[in-house]
Amino acid sequence: KRLRLTYHDTKTGYKKTGTQNINGTNYDLVTFGNFPQFEKDSNVTVSTTATNVNGFTCYKGDDDEWYAKLSSKYYKVEPIKWRVLTTDYNGSGKKLLLAENILINKAYHASSNNYKNSYIRAYLTGDFLTTAFTQEEQDAIAATTVINNARSTNPDSNDNQWINGANQYASDTPTGDKIFLLSTQEITKADYGFAAY
């Protein structure tokens, strides 16, 4: 599943960097927030003095960039790249952003398929939100009603694709999140530039 968020139309930390054409439709590309993403280049030397940067223990590189040490490797802290899937998510007038890169590898949950109670949701709405975004940026992210029902677990083109539309792990109670994952229904929406299932 791919990370997404909805965004209030303000200027805080949000920067358009280009466009991407998918099946004849142009999607804006933007940067917003910062996160350790790519491993340090071998020709970069980092200092031995640690500094806390948005919750990460970071070291300044001789290229004047910050690097977070995760396990035994250093990763460059850089702007998160997003694709703007729509400027009117579910009629809210808010932008829906999709992370262009895989940012971190986390387990969904050890034993439950229910998104509301999942490990990944707890991480995204907790540690990820507070480390990837400044307080101003967090304030600029809209709280969103995330649909977790059985319909959301089927492709956009066929609401009965799996088990005749039933899903024992789905919930008719939505969650309210600033950061969340795309549902199966959304990841197969042509309007967002995705191929049908």
Side-chain angles (χ1 to χ4, degrees), residues 2 6 42 50 96 102 114 132 172 189 191:
R2 298 283 293 280
T6 52
S42 60
L96 176 66
I102 295 171
N114 185 305
D172 289 329
K189 284 179 72 79
D191 290 352

Side-chain angles (χ1 to χ4, degrees), residues 47-53 56-60 66-67:
S47 75
T48 56
T49 304
T51 303
N52 185 294
V53 179
F56 290 108
T57 301
C58 290
Y59 302 84
K60 195 73 160 184
W66 288 106
Y67 290 86

Side-chain angles (χ1 to χ4, degrees), residues 114-136:
N114 185 305
Y115 182 66
K116 180 180 180 181
N117 303 317
S118 66
Y119 294 157
I120 190 64
R121 177 175 177 256
Y123 172 74
L124 292 175
T125 59
D127 288 347
F128 180 79
L129 180 66
T130 58
T131 55
F133 305 100
T134 65
Q135 186 60 57
E136 275 188 308

Side-chain angles (χ1 to χ4, degrees), residues 4-187:
R4 64 190 177 158
L5 59 83
T6 52
Y7 181 77
H8 291 288
D9 196 10
T10 68
K11 300 295 182 188
T12 305
Y14 181 93
K15 181 180 178 184
K16 183 177 175 182
T17 60
T19 59
Q20 181 179 34
N21 187 284
I22 301 173
N23 299 325
T25 301
N26 286 325
Y27 295 88
D28 285 345
L29 299 174
V30 301
T31 55
F32 181 64
N34 291 281
F35 202 74
Q37 295 177 60
F38 296 100
E39 193 173 343
K40 178 183 73 66
D41 194 83
S42 60
N43 63 359
V44 173
T45 302
V46 297
S47 75
T48 56
T49 304
T51 303
N52 185 294
V53 179
N54 281 357
F56 290 108
T57 301
C58 290
Y59 302 84
K60 195 73 160 184
D62 59 8
D63 59 352
D64 210 31
E65 299 287 348
W66 288 106
Y67 290 86
K69 189 174 185 181
L70 306 173
S71 298
S72 60
K73 297 181 179 180
Y74 294 92
Y75 293 85
K76 186 177 177 182
V77 178
E78 48 194 318
I80 303 171
K81 297 175 184 175
W82 305 88
R83 185 188 329 158
V84 181
L85 298 182
T86 179
T87 58
D88 190 24
Y89 181 60
N90 290 341
S92 67
K94 304 292 188 267
K95 295 175 174 75
L96 176 66
L97 309 183
L98 172 73
E100 282 288 286
N101 298 315
I102 295 171
L103 298 174
I104 197 161
N105 181 15
K106 288 282 184 185
Y108 185 87
H109 200 274
S111 60
S112 172
N113 284 325
N114 185 305
Y115 182 66
K116 180 180 180 181
N117 303 317
S118 66
Y119 294 157
I120 190 64
R121 177 175 177 256
Y123 172 74
L124 292 175
T125 59
D127 288 347
F128 180 79
L129 180 66
T130 58
T131 55
F133 305 100
T134 65
Q135 186 60 57
E136 275 188 308
E137 290 168 339
Q138 291 174 50
D139 294 342
I141 302 171
T144 301
T145 299
V146 181
I147 305 301
N148 302 308
N149 62 15
R151 175 65 189 98
S152 72
T153 67
N154 280 276
D156 191 49
S157 61
N158 185 350
D159 59 355
N160 292 310
Q161 179 78 36
W162 311 116
I163 321 171
N164 293 320
N167 187 326
Q168 67 181 1
Y169 303 108
S171 172
D172 289 329
T173 303
T175 55
D177 300 329
K178 289 192 168 196
I179 305 284
F180 46 100
L181 299 179
L182 286 172
S183 68
T184 299
Q185 182 181 8
E186 291 169 321
I187 202 74

